[in-house]
Amino acid sequence: MGTSRTARFLARIWFRALRREGPPLPPGPCLILLNHPNGLLDPLAAAASLDRRAGWLAKATLWKLAPLRPFLAAFRAIPVTRPRDGDATPESIQQCFRKVHEVLARGGSVALFPEGVSHTGADLAPLKTGAARMALSSPTPPFLIPAGLVYGDRGAFRHGALLRVGEPVAWSDLARRGTDPDAVVELTARIRAALQPLTLQDPEVRVLALAQEVAWLLAEAPGSRVDLEALRRRVRALVPRLAALGPAALADLEARVHDTQGWLRARGLRPDQVGHPYPWTEIRGWLPGAARRLGLTVLLLPAALAFWPSYRLVDWIATRFTEEGDQVATLKLLGGLLLHPLWATALAGLAGWCWGGWAALAAPGALLVLLLALPILERSAEDLQAIRGFLRRRDPAVPELLEARKQLIEAFPELEGE
């Protein structure tokens, strides 16, 4: 199975929404340069979104983990040794470079993470110089393509992800200088400058956090289906504006935003539900579909309960065995791929022992039905949320919140068009 098909199959299971924005990749060899905020979910999301197959640089230590080897082979991974892992030698580094150059010479593409490590930091980590040195030393000059990954909730199953592809980094003026140290430093700085705006990462940590909170308050859809490109643009527009505020104004805005978030949490509402008029024509169009979905959800309840223990076990393992937020989703994905089939096998054995061979088919069948029915279950959860919003539509605080939203857009008019 090819890289893209493997990635798309797994991505359909994990992500509810996966979107790609930006120009298509140019024809010819490309080095695709990505930020790295979410462990093994990053190559999965990017490979499923790209419009061509690419090889992937991966740290050599991953080959020591037997469960990962089939995925490394499917993703055509190229091992790279890192000094921090203690196994890097000049020969191993040159071997990695040669393999990358061979792919580029065939007109292929290689994707890598210039930060060199997955992390939860608000800003991009300092970029390693490997990407610049690979490009400057390549006999076949590649296009350098920055691409930012943005997640709705990076640790959550069935959330959204965005791959925002940027324009190629200009570096032809540096090509004749080869791997001259100054050229390497300059090209690395250009890569960082091109990559940063495509992400939700910034050195202004406090301002970035507030910008994201404000952007989420202006979201027009459920969190798992929110337009992440509009969210990214809002955050990028807000960061310089908020950074220019004085300390008192910034603290006042933070307090108002946190008060609003607290009100929403207390009432179990989404921002887009506040002030929604719920006209009868909309309700009449929604009601039949909601009734069907909720009815199907009731029928699926026995299957969901049967696999609830394995679902909770995967979640427990992911949160118990790592404190790194960028690794939670990786453990959930790998744990789910391993534990859910094992649980289905155990249930099948128990059913077969109790009721005979045909009963053994019920458990794997139930797992398959649940996977196929995920969109229905998700829409049913939104239907219940819509009912909650309808019941809360006359809350006395709604006019005040709408006025606060209006004032926010008036203070930052660039948000209105996003």
Side-chain angles (χ1 to χ4, degrees), residues 330-408:
T330 296
L331 289 179
K332 285 183 179 180
L333 175 64
L334 297 177
L337 290 174
L338 175 65
L339 290 177
H340 291 316
L342 286 177
W343 184 254
T345 301
L347 290 178
L350 179 62
W353 180 68
C354 292
W355 298 293
W358 286 105
L361 299 177
L367 179 59
L368 179 61
V369 167
L370 286 174
L371 288 174
L372 295 175
L374 280 173
I376 294 174
L377 296 173
E378 290 158 350
R379 287 295 304 277
S380 295
E382 290 179 8
D383 292 331
L384 294 174
Q385 180 65 36
I387 294 170
R388 184 182 291 115
F390 176 79
L391 296 176
R392 297 279 188 181
R393 70 192 186 283
R394 301 192 191 281
D395 191 289
V398 167
E400 182 180 342
L401 289 172
L402 291 177
E403 179 61 25
R405 178 188 176 99
K406 178 183 176 183
Q407 291 176 3
L408 185 65

Side-chain angles (χ1 to χ4, degrees), residues 210-370:
L210 181 57
Q212 293 189 56
E213 290 171 347
V214 171
W216 277 107
L217 287 178
L218 295 175
E220 295 90 0
S224 59
R225 290 195 290 115
V226 74
D227 184 343
L228 290 174
E229 173 61 5
L231 180 83
R232 184 195 66 82
R233 290 197 305 266
R234 279 177 170 154
V235 171
R236 301 293 359 159
L238 273 172
V239 165
R241 292 291 310 279
L242 295 179
L245 293 178
L250 193 65
D252 178 66
L253 181 58
E254 282 178 327
R256 286 189 285 145
V257 167
H258 294 162
D259 286 346
T260 301
Q261 291 172 329
W263 185 90
L264 291 169
R265 283 194 299 269
R267 288 155 180 80
L269 296 180
R270 300 190 312 256
D272 62 293
Q273 292 182 297
V274 177
H276 189 74
Y278 294 96
W280 170 243
T281 53
E282 178 183 296
I283 295 173
R284 186 173 54 192
W286 163 81
L287 199 55
R292 287 193 299 269
R293 289 188 293 269
L294 292 172
L296 286 171
T297 298
V298 171
L299 295 177
L300 291 167
L301 191 58
L305 290 174
F307 282 90
W308 183 250
S310 62
Y311 181 84
R312 295 303 302 161
L313 180 60
V314 168
D315 188 66
W316 180 83
I317 290 173
T319 54
R320 173 68 175 81
F321 289 96
T322 183
E323 295 181 356
E324 301 295 332
D326 59 306
Q327 299 302 323
V328 169
T330 296
L331 289 179
K332 285 183 179 180
L333 175 64
L334 297 177
L337 290 174
L338 175 65
L339 290 177
H340 291 316
L342 286 177
W343 184 254
T345 301
L347 290 178
L350 179 62
W353 180 68
C354 292
W355 298 293
W358 286 105
L361 299 177
L367 179 59
L368 179 61
V369 167
L370 286 174

